[in-house]
């Protein structure tokens, strides 16, 4: 009896130690297939020289303070369903590849082997400048995963800052559920901070390398132009703009409103409250930030913590003119269809997110119209149009994805640790603006720190190492207890997913 209990204790502790030591986290990414039918129509006829905007935000992408950001306008293709991607040239001689823009991860990874869902890949053997780093890397996203080898090679962006840089490349050799039918990209550009880089933060992310080697300001901005567009047309993709090194004023209207970056891993922000129409959800602000609130271009939907999501659906149901609506529509398992020409948006309210301003006693509000979250997907026999709900429940935090980002020009001002939102010039449908910004509002009625209590990855690693140390001591003691009383014992067993305490961090 005592022997059986000893072995059980040994197995449990070993499982605990081993599970903690192999802890890893999945990085947000969720892409739906589909296509949209309208291209952005941004005027690119003029060329300008830009300097500072007077508020400390650099509008230049080189140290001389002169640049033509209009060269970067419309350098993205794609839409929220298939992802927004940019053309790059990798290796020597250059090989052209399309790379998905993702602000929710930090690895630059590209297909380096054939795959049935992609038309071409980066052949490292054909590049005279490619060299392997001798390390393997694996990344798991909410949807899909890949693994490969780390290497270094030269990269340039035809519609980006002038110059070629040497960057870390993850050459994808195996993948599952990552490349999807109908996508036109062959890799992913992670634009978040080094803390999310895999296998560890010593792998310098692409944009960090660009800032260091080209001397551009530590700022980029993003416009995604798929707002309110159908997903069935064969017309050119909606596209957008990724401005590396600053901000292009022709891409937005009005002022840029800034919110602090709470922590530099994901682009984590602080959400103070949500409104459905004019109705405040009246939840504790910590509910919105449990366990984090991030801005992620690689996520299709607006994802909300379960309690918040349920409150939003209940509020929409109360305020909607459609009272008896199928629950399958809200959970994403069903589409809602109307007769062609009978658009449903008048039945639904606006959604507003309040973000803490850089003046922490204030907030501002970003609002999306129903055209952004009641999303056209397909038609049936040319007689009906079908729509999906652009929100979903999340067990791991609030994610401001493309559903919201398509309404705004988003400035990732890493130099001053802040994110900016302005009204996007392409978030307009039939002459109607699909997004709004208002403020400032007093934030004195909410907690001083709505992000408190969320367990961050650095803390998790500290706890992991502490547990490993404790486990090592316990294992030594157990080893002595098991070995000393008898000369030899047989022990067998394995660590399974069920016995491990590790749980993947997903959206």
């Amino acid at each position: 009896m005592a022997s059986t209990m000893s072995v059980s204790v040994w197995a449990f502790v070993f499982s605990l130690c081993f599970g903690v030591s192999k802890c890893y986290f999945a990085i947000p990414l969720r892409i739906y297939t589909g296509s949209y039918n309208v291209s952005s129509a941004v005027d690119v006829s003029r060329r300008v020289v830009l300097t500072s905007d007077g508020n400390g935000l650099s509008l230049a992408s080189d140290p001389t303070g002169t640049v033509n950001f209009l060269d970067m306008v419309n350098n993205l293709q794609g839409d929220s369903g298939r992802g927004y991607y940019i053309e790059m040239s990798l290796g020597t001689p250059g090989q052209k590849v399309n790379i998905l823009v993702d602000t929710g991860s930090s690895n630059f990874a590209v297909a380096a082997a054939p795959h049935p869902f992609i038309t071409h890949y980066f052949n490292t053997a054909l590049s005279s400048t490619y060299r392997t780093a001798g390390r393997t890397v694996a990344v798991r996203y909410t949807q899909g995963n890949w693994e490969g080898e780390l290497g270094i090679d030269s990269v340039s962006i035809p519609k980006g800052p002038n110059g070629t840089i040497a960057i870390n490349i993850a050459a994808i050799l195996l993948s599952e559920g990552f490349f999807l039918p109908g996508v036109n990209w062959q890799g992913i550009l992670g634009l978040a901070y080094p803390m999310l880089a895999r296998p560890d933060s010593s792998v310098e992310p692409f944009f960090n390398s660009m800032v260091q080697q080209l001397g551009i300001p530590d700022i980029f901005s993003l416009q995604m132009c798929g707002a309110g567009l159908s997903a069935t047309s064969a017309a050119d993709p909606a596209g957008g703009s990724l401005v590396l090194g600053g901000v292009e004023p022709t891409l937005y209207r009005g002022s840029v409103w800034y919110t602090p970056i709470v922590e530099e891993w994901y682009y984590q922000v602080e959400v103070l409250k949500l409104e459905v129409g004019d109705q405040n959800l009246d939840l504790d602000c910590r509910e919105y930030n449990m366990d984090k609130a991030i801005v992620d271009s690689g996520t299709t939907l607006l994802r909300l913590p379960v309690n918040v999501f349920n409150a939003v659906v209940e509020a929409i149901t109360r305020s909607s003119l459609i009272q008896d609506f199928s629950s399958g529509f809200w959970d994403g398992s069903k589409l809602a269809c109307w007769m062609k020409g009978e658009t449903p948006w008048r039945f639904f309210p606006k959604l507003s997110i309040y973000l803490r301003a850089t003046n922490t006693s204030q907030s501002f509000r970003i609002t999306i119209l129903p055209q952004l979250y009641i999303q056209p997907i397909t038609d049936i026999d040319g007689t009906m149009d079908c729509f999906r709900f652009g929100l979903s429940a999340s067990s791991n935090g609030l994610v401001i994805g493309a559903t919201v980002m398509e309404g705004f020009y988003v400035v990732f001002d890493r130099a001053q640790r802040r994110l900016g939102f302005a009204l996007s010039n392409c978030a307009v449908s039939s002459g109607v603006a699909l997004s709004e910004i208002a403020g400032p509002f007093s934030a004195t009625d909410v907690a001083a720190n709505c992000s408190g209590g969320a367990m961050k990855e650095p803390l998790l690693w500290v706890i992991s190492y502490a547990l490993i140390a404790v486990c090592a001591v316990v294992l030594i003691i157990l080893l002595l207890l098991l070995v000393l009383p008898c000369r030899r014992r047989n022990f067998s067993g394995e660590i399974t997913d069920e016995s491990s305490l590790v749980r993947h961090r997903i959206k």
Side-chain angles (χ1 to χ4, degrees):
M1 183 69 168
S3 173
T4 303
M5 291 182 63
S6 297
V7 172
S8 299
V9 172
W10 171 283
F12 172 77
V13 174
F14 184 78
S15 173
L16 173 62
C17 297
F18 188 79
V20 171
S21 67
K22 292 184 68 64
C23 177
Y24 68 93
F25 305 94
I27 297 173
L29 179 72
R30 189 169 182 83
I31 299 296
Y32 292 87
T33 57
S35 60
Y36 291 155
N37 66 352
V38 179
S39 296
S40 169
V42 179
D43 179 13
V44 296
S45 60
R46 67 179 186 86
R47 297 171 68 83
V48 295
V49 175
L50 302 175
T51 56
S52 171
D53 69 348
N55 294 318
L57 175 61
S58 174
L59 298 174
S61 66
D62 63 40
T64 66
T66 62
V67 72
N68 291 309
F69 278 141
L70 293 178
D71 291 344
M72 302 186 207
V73 170
N74 289 336
N75 61 359
L76 296 183
Q77 299 180 66
D79 50 59
S80 63
R82 297 171 303 182
Y84 290 85
Y85 55 88
I86 188 169
E87 183 184 77
M88 292 186 178
S89 178
L90 307 188
T92 307
Q95 301 176 42
K96 295 292 180 65
V97 289
N98 293 329
I99 304 295
L100 181 76
V101 174
D102 180 29
T103 63
S105 65
S106 298
N107 281 88
F108 178 84
V110 62
H115 188 280
F117 295 150
I118 60 176
T119 56
H120 60 285
Y121 63 93
F122 174 51
N123 191 333
T124 58
L126 298 181
S127 174
S128 62
T129 50
Y130 178 82
R131 61 185 188 275
T132 180
R135 303 173 67 190
T136 60
V137 59
V139 173
R140 178 183 297 276
Y141 302 90
T142 301
Q143 177 179 5
N145 61 81
W146 55 258
E147 59 184 79
E149 68 170 16
L150 286 175
I152 298 174
D153 209 339
S154 58
V155 175
S156 63
I157 303 177
K159 293 185 177 180
N162 291 331
T164 299
I165 62 173
I167 53 94
N168 291 302
I169 296 177
I172 299 175
L173 302 176
L174 296 172
S175 65
E176 181 179 355
F178 181 67
F179 298 109
L180 302 175
V183 300
N184 192 31
W185 43 266
Q186 296 83 42
I188 186 169
L189 172 59
L191 289 169
Y193 291 97
M195 191 180 297
L196 294 185
R198 297 294 178 260
D200 56 61
S201 59
S202 68
V203 179
E204 185 175 69
F206 179 96
F207 191 65
N208 292 63
S209 298
M210 176 171 281
V211 169
Q212 174 111 13
Q213 296 178 42
L214 298 184
I216 67 173
D218 196 8
I219 305 164
F220 66 89
S221 49
L222 183 59
Q223 181 194 52
M224 301 154 68
C225 292
L229 304 180
S230 172
T232 56
S233 172
D236 291 337
S241 304
L242 173 62
V243 179
L244 297 164
V247 174
E248 170 46 52
T250 63
L251 298 179
Y252 66 89
R253 295 176 285 113
S255 300
V256 182
W257 293 78
Y258 293 100
T259 185
I261 295 174
V262 174
E263 185 163 344
E264 295 168 315
W265 57 329
Y266 299 98
Y267 291 100
Q268 183 179 348
V269 296
E270 189 178 4
V271 175
L272 303 189
K273 65 178 178 179
L274 264 65
E275 287 180 348
V276 175
D278 296 326
Q279 177 184 347
N280 182 358
L281 293 186
D282 277 333
L283 297 176
D284 187 306
C285 68
R286 291 176 179 82
E287 294 262 18
Y288 304 122
N289 300 277
M290 188 66 67
D291 66 348
K292 60 186 176 294
I294 65 173
V295 178
D296 177 15
S297 65
T299 295
T300 301
L301 307 179
L302 169 60
R303 309 202 71 219
L304 303 173
V306 175
N307 288 346
V308 179
F309 177 79
N310 292 336
V312 168
V313 170
E314 182 182 352
I316 292 177
T317 303
R318 284 200 305 266
S319 61
S320 172
L321 299 178
I322 305 174
Q323 296 301 320
D324 298 323
F325 216 62
S326 169
S327 60
F329 177 73
W330 307 118
D331 65 24
S333 62
K334 294 182 181 179
L335 300 178
C337 302
W338 280 264
M339 294 300 296
K340 225 168 188 26
E342 186 181 345
T343 56
W345 299 307
R346 68 184 184 277
F347 299 121
F348 296 91
K350 300 176 182 179
L351 297 182
S352 297
I353 300 173
Y354 285 76
L355 298 169
R356 192 179 296 278
T358 49
N359 177 347
T360 57
S361 65
Q362 297 179 335
S363 67
F364 65 93
R365 178 180 68 209
I366 59 175
T367 299
I368 58 173
L369 271 63
Q371 286 90 328
L372 287 178
Y373 73 88
I374 305 297
Q375 301 169 340
I377 293 298
T378 187
D379 65 349
I380 299 178
D381 298 328
T383 61
M384 302 187 74
D385 288 324
C386 296
F387 301 78
R388 75 173 174 199
F389 190 43
L391 283 68
S392 68
S394 166
S395 60
N396 294 89
L398 185 150
V399 184
I400 297 175
T403 291
V404 177
M405 292 181 71
E406 286 179 338
F408 303 94
Y409 183 65
V410 185
V411 179
F412 295 79
D413 185 357
R414 295 152 50 109
Q416 299 195 58
R417 194 167 169 164
R418 61 183 184 173
L419 253 59
F421 290 82
L423 297 176
S424 173
N425 277 344
C426 66
V428 178
S429 179
S430 302
V432 176
L434 303 181
S435 56
E436 302 170 356
I437 295 184
F441 304 102
S442 173
T444 57
D445 60 333
V446 296
N449 181 11
C450 294
S451 298
M455 186 169 287
K456 309 298 189 298
E457 189 168 355
L459 178 58
L460 288 172
W461 281 115
V462 170
I463 294 174
S464 296
Y465 288 129
L467 285 174
I468 291 172
V470 171
C471 287
V473 174
V474 173
L475 284 173
I476 292 172
I477 295 173
L478 288 176
L479 182 62
L480 293 173
L481 291 174
L482 292 171
V483 172
L484 291 178
C486 57
R487 294 176 180 269
R488 184 172 182 175
R489 293 182 187 271
N490 291 324
F491 175 78
S492 63
E494 62 180 12
I495 303 301
T496 66
D497 290 339
E498 288 73 28
S499 64
S500 173
L501 297 182
V502 175
R503 293 293 180 267
H504 303 331
R505 166 175 254 151
I506 62 172
K507 288 192 286 187

